[in-house]
Amino acid sequence: MSAASPTIRVAVIGAGSWGTALAALACKQAGALLWARDPALALAIQSTRRNDRYLPGIALPETLEATSDFGHALGHACADPARGLIVLGVPVAGLRDTCRRLADALRHLPHAGLSVVWTCKGFQPETGELPHEIAQAAFKDLPAIGLGVLSGPSFAHEVARGLPVALTIATRAARTVQAVTAALHGGSARIYNSEDIIGVEVGGALKNIMAIACGIADGLELGTNARAALITRGLAEMQRLGVALGGQAETFSGLTGLGDLVLTATGALSRNRQVGLAIGQGRRLDDILAGGMTAEGVRCAQAARDLGRRHGVDLPITEVVCQVLFEGLAPQEAVTGLLSRVARSESPLAPR
């Protein structure tokens, strides 16, 4: 870290691929410290400037520091909380426990003006909660902390290599926009801002399910016309549910809607697309998951379907993906069912 005092002090909690990539991005213009649960991983990152467990073959910046000491990581951000930013690089499944642990620790540290943002995409499978609902419950008695979600079309490997990326910080706290922008904006990264937390999170969750659907179609070799149709109608489906939950329709034409959907539905690095591709080629979901491949769309598909039913929102692609993943529907039959639906208006918000 440079001798000069950094503008922003960033602590990234979680040394998986995305947490490491964001820490590498942040340390180019801020004082960044990466926390890893595994002491051996933290030591390896600190000593070799590599995270071969999650980002094999990628050299990390010399200025990136790592620790397995949770208190040390929080102390780094809270040394000057008005210029402190904590980024939660954990999946939805681990968000509740991480937020509770973090909130408990911050009660005993200076935190006025601190910002906490999360990066996970999906619904909590058991409850259908969006990430912001989990975070707000954990931090409800710490109003001096600004909360937000950082999302957008991004593959960790590309960000870690310094390739261009554009992300959105969704928050109602101006200081959190300022903190994230100061930490990440510039060079290869561009940061946009939004107040539509719900819309941004719904886009991030449902695009994974649509990517599975596109992967299935590609596995069946149905062609690029079919993929384009699934992306377009998938976007309409995302928008319908997002608006029903309180999001803004226009959010879904931006980075966290259309942008993230196109990336995840077509990119070779997309795990959700790879799961769908394998299913379309005849493999069973249990065998795919047993091989170590995980995809957030698999975890949250049923929660999304249940939310749609609860709010009276038509989610035909989500319904069919759930039937293929969990109810034994053959992929080809799923496609036939989608094609046989009654003709209707193309408008995503038209009465269903």
Side-chain angles (χ1 to χ4, degrees):
M1 193 181 302
S2 65
S5 177
T7 301
I8 295 292
R9 301 175 65 88
V10 182
V12 179
I13 305 301
S17 57
W18 189 224
T20 302
L22 284 174
L25 179 63
C27 73
K28 295 178 181 180
Q29 55 200 45
L33 180 60
L34 176 63
W35 176 80
R37 183 185 304 274
D38 182 358
L41 180 58
L43 180 61
I45 295 171
Q46 182 73 25
S47 59
T48 69
R49 304 302 173 187
R50 296 171 70 96
N51 184 346
D52 286 328
R53 185 181 304 178
Y54 295 103
L55 294 171
I58 296 178
L60 301 173
E62 290 296 321
T63 52
L64 177 61
E65 299 184 17
T67 183
S68 60
D69 185 331
F70 193 71
H72 178 56
L74 301 194
H76 172 79
C78 293
D80 185 356
R83 295 188 297 171
L85 171 64
I86 296 176
V87 179
L88 304 181
V90 300
V92 174
L95 184 62
R96 193 184 310 277
D97 287 345
T98 301
C99 284
R100 286 174 175 172
R101 181 182 183 187
L102 180 58
D104 288 343
L106 290 177
R107 290 186 182 92
H108 308 288
L109 291 170
H111 60 263
L114 181 72
S115 290
V116 175
V117 302
W118 51 93
T119 63
C120 52
K121 300 174 181 179
F123 298 100
Q124 211 289 328
E126 291 76 24
T127 66
E129 292 170 288
L130 283 163
H132 78 272
E133 296 175 292
I134 296 171
Q136 287 175 354
F139 293 99
K140 62 183 178 182
D141 60 343
L142 296 171
I145 295 175
L147 301 176
V149 53
L150 180 66
S151 190
S154 49
F155 288 142
H157 284 71
E158 293 188 2
V159 172
R161 289 165 52 204
L163 297 178
V165 66
L167 301 170
T168 296
I169 173 63
T171 178
R172 296 184 180 90
R175 67 181 182 278
T176 301
V177 173
Q178 295 167 359
V180 172
T181 302
L184 301 177
H185 185 85
S188 61
R190 184 168 183 83
I191 304 299
Y192 293 84
N193 64 81
S194 169
E195 293 188 355
D196 185 13
I197 296 172
I198 293 175
V200 166
E201 289 189 334
V202 171
L206 259 68
K207 59 91 181 179
N208 288 325
I209 302 169
M210 305 308 150
I212 292 174
C214 289
I216 291 172
D218 287 343
L220 291 169
E221 298 184 353
L222 297 182
T224 51
N225 292 341
R227 185 198 298 163
L230 280 170
I231 289 174
T232 307
R233 298 314 302 163
L235 181 62
E237 195 161 307
M238 291 160 54
Q239 189 182 62
R240 283 198 299 275
L241 183 60
V243 170
L245 295 178
Q248 301 169 11
E250 57 268 26
T251 298
F252 294 88
S253 63
L255 288 170
T256 60
L258 177 61
D260 211 355
L261 174 60
V262 170
L263 179 75
T264 312
T266 65
L269 294 175
S270 167
R271 288 173 293 183
N272 291 280
R273 180 180 179 275
Q274 289 297 326
V275 167
L277 188 65
I279 289 173
Q281 292 170 341
R283 294 183 60 193
R284 296 174 61 253
L285 179 62
D286 289 345
D287 295 334
I288 297 168
L289 300 182
M293 184 178 293
T294 59
E296 196 64 55
V298 174
R299 294 187 179 126
C300 76
Q302 290 172 304
R305 179 194 60 189
D306 293 345
L307 278 171
R309 291 175 176 177
R310 192 182 312 158
H311 290 269
V313 178
D314 191 28
L315 303 178
I317 299 174
T318 300
E319 291 274 0
V320 163
V321 167
C322 285
Q323 291 170 11
V324 171
L325 292 180
F326 310 115
E327 299 171 19
L329 180 67
Q332 188 61 59
E333 290 183 33
V335 173
T336 301
L338 284 174
L339 291 176
S340 65
R341 284 170 53 82
V342 176
R344 59 186 63 196
S345 169
E346 186 184 16
S347 171
L349 302 182
R352 312 315 296 169

